[in-house]
Amino acid sequence: MNYTLNQLRIFLAVVKSQSVTKASEELHLSQPAVSIQLKNFEAQFDIPLTEVIGRKIYITDFGREIATAAESIIEQVHAINYKTLAYKGGMTGKLKISVVSTGKYVMPFFLSDFLSKHAGIELLLDVTNKNRVLESLENNEIDFALVSILPTTINIDRLDLLPNRLFLVGKAGQKVKIKNDVKEQFQSLPLIFREKGSGTRLAMERFFSEQNITVVKKMELTSNEAVKQAILAGLGYSIMPLIGIRNELSNHELEIINVQGLPIKTTWSLVWLAEKKHSPASLSFLEFVSSRKSAIVEQNFSWCEPYYN
């Protein structure tokens, strides 16, 4: 047999996702490239590793045994790399962070300098909705989570990073008539919601509940980007985090509509389980963010301040 580490990684990705398409997206490879490597890997075995029924790929029992062995091999390769870097005096290990979807506009700025200084640290970053983030946190599957709404059922410690503000946003130039009655204002607008489980959706619903506002939901979309595109197409309005619409505001494609009671004010916070035993890598990251957060915010998020006044 003459399989490669790359083929092992590809096979593991296919096993975990049970989809060549999803594996190619996860690995940032083309679908044909994944299919070819998977075929070449399977050709080295006399017993099938996968089987395709209809358009769905299934992993055979033998394939799952090979996947377990492959995962062990990959882990050993990582261990060799970590030991080499550690011997040279470098920080090594994995850093596992789960981020609510809008947090993708925040987290990279707190990671960039840290990872450039510690090449031996492998980052596992999951960008998903609030429910999945909290599930990963509660199950101790991650070192840190980035949230804008703190969990109330999990015992956590936290480090506040920067303010989060959510405004009513519409397509530029639509000339919305501002009404004195906030209830009447929202009842006259077609509103676009994020999906259930989203922190932005929760913030919107809390605002409407506190204001005793009944609204008509125009549509529900599953990402911040999808909401932006719908607003740009003139399909409606939404309450959105300022952090995610910088370019559209600068390009005069979207505009903030000043409404009584807005913006909604929350805080971006890095959170972790209160009894978490940090690895050297996660502890080093926490110390880095604690000491550098003011400079990072000043350098990368000062553009937000005029909108807070």
Side-chain angles (χ1 to χ4, degrees):
M1 292 187 179
N2 193 30
Y3 47 77
T4 66
L5 288 174
N6 186 47
Q7 288 174 342
L8 291 177
R9 293 189 183 98
I10 287 173
F11 179 61
L12 276 176
V14 171
V15 170
K16 290 178 179 179
S17 64
Q18 294 195 23
S19 166
V20 171
T21 300
K22 291 180 180 178
S24 65
E25 292 173 354
E26 177 186 331
L27 297 168
H28 304 290
L29 297 172
S30 68
Q31 188 170 330
V34 170
S35 297
I36 290 170
Q37 290 299 319
L38 178 63
K39 182 179 179 181
N40 291 342
F41 180 66
E42 290 190 273
Q44 300 180 64
F45 298 88
D46 295 329
I47 304 172
L49 304 183
T50 64
E51 55 183 352
V52 178
I53 301 176
R55 300 183 65 180
K56 185 172 177 60
I57 189 168
Y58 294 87
I59 314 303
T60 65
D61 290 342
F62 180 66
R64 294 197 178 279
E65 290 191 23
I66 296 300
T68 299
E71 189 167 26
S72 178
I73 292 170
I74 296 297
E75 287 295 330
Q76 289 299 315
V77 170
H78 285 319
I80 291 170
N81 292 337
Y82 293 152
K83 288 177 189 280
T84 302
L85 284 164
Y87 191 79
K88 293 179 179 179
M91 175 72 68
T92 64
K94 291 183 179 180
L95 179 63
K96 294 175 285 186
I97 303 176
S98 189
V99 177
V100 295
S101 57
T102 311
K104 66 187 175 184
Y105 302 109
V106 176
M107 199 70 244
F109 295 102
F110 290 89
L111 287 164
S112 179
D113 285 348
F114 176 77
L115 293 176
S116 67
K117 292 177 181 178
H118 301 289
I121 292 180
E122 179 186 354
L123 173 67
L124 302 175
L125 182 65
D126 183 29
V127 180
T128 184
N129 68 28
K130 181 182 71 72
N131 283 353
R132 175 57 189 150
V133 169
L134 297 185
E135 181 182 335
S136 298
L137 182 66
E138 189 169 19
N139 292 336
N140 197 26
E141 297 171 354
I142 55 175
D143 298 308
F144 302 104
L146 180 70
V147 297
S148 59
I149 299 176
L150 295 174
T152 57
T153 60
I154 307 174
N155 189 17
I156 60 165
D157 287 329
R158 79 176 196 262
L159 176 64
D160 293 338
L161 301 182
L162 70 155
N164 182 41
R165 300 291 183 266
L166 296 90
F167 294 85
L168 179 63
V169 177
K171 182 179 180 180
Q174 287 190 319
K175 298 180 180 178
V176 176
K177 184 178 180 181
I178 304 300
K179 300 180 179 179
N180 293 327
D181 188 334
V182 66
K183 294 183 182 180
E184 185 181 352
Q185 182 77 70
F186 279 101
Q187 287 169 352
S188 66
L189 296 176
L191 290 175
I192 302 170
F193 279 66
R194 283 287 305 276
E195 80 284 5
K196 290 183 179 179
S198 157
T200 300
R201 167 73 170 261
L202 179 60
M204 285 180 66
E205 290 178 338
R206 282 182 179 176
F207 170 74
F208 293 137
S209 177
E210 290 168 359
Q211 299 288 333
N212 196 26
I213 298 172
T214 302
V215 298
V216 177
K217 182 171 63 177
K218 177 72 174 180
M219 66 179 69
E220 180 177 302
L221 299 172
T222 58
S223 73
N224 197 66
E225 293 301 317
V227 172
K228 279 198 294 188
Q229 292 305 314
I231 297 173
L232 288 169
L235 293 176
Y237 302 80
S238 189
I239 294 177
M240 301 187 69
L242 175 67
I243 203 77
I245 56 173
R246 179 182 185 180
N247 291 337
E248 290 77 14
L249 290 174
S250 298
N251 296 334
H252 304 291
E253 297 171 313
L254 296 178
E255 64 182 11
I256 290 172
I257 302 165
N258 294 315
V259 175
Q260 181 183 347
L262 293 178
I264 299 170
K265 299 179 181 180
T266 63
T267 301
W268 286 110
S269 300
L270 195 67
V271 302
W272 59 95
L273 291 178
E275 299 180 358
K276 178 74 175 176
K277 295 181 179 179
H278 288 291
S279 67
S282 65
L283 183 59
S284 179
F285 177 66
L286 183 57
E287 291 171 348
F288 171 83
V289 175
S290 298
S291 63
R292 293 279 298 151
K293 70 169 187 173
S294 296
I296 293 171
V297 171
E298 174 64 27
Q299 182 178 354
N300 299 286
F301 301 102
S302 58
W303 66 270
C304 298
E305 293 179 6
Y307 296 95
Y308 295 165
N309 300 325

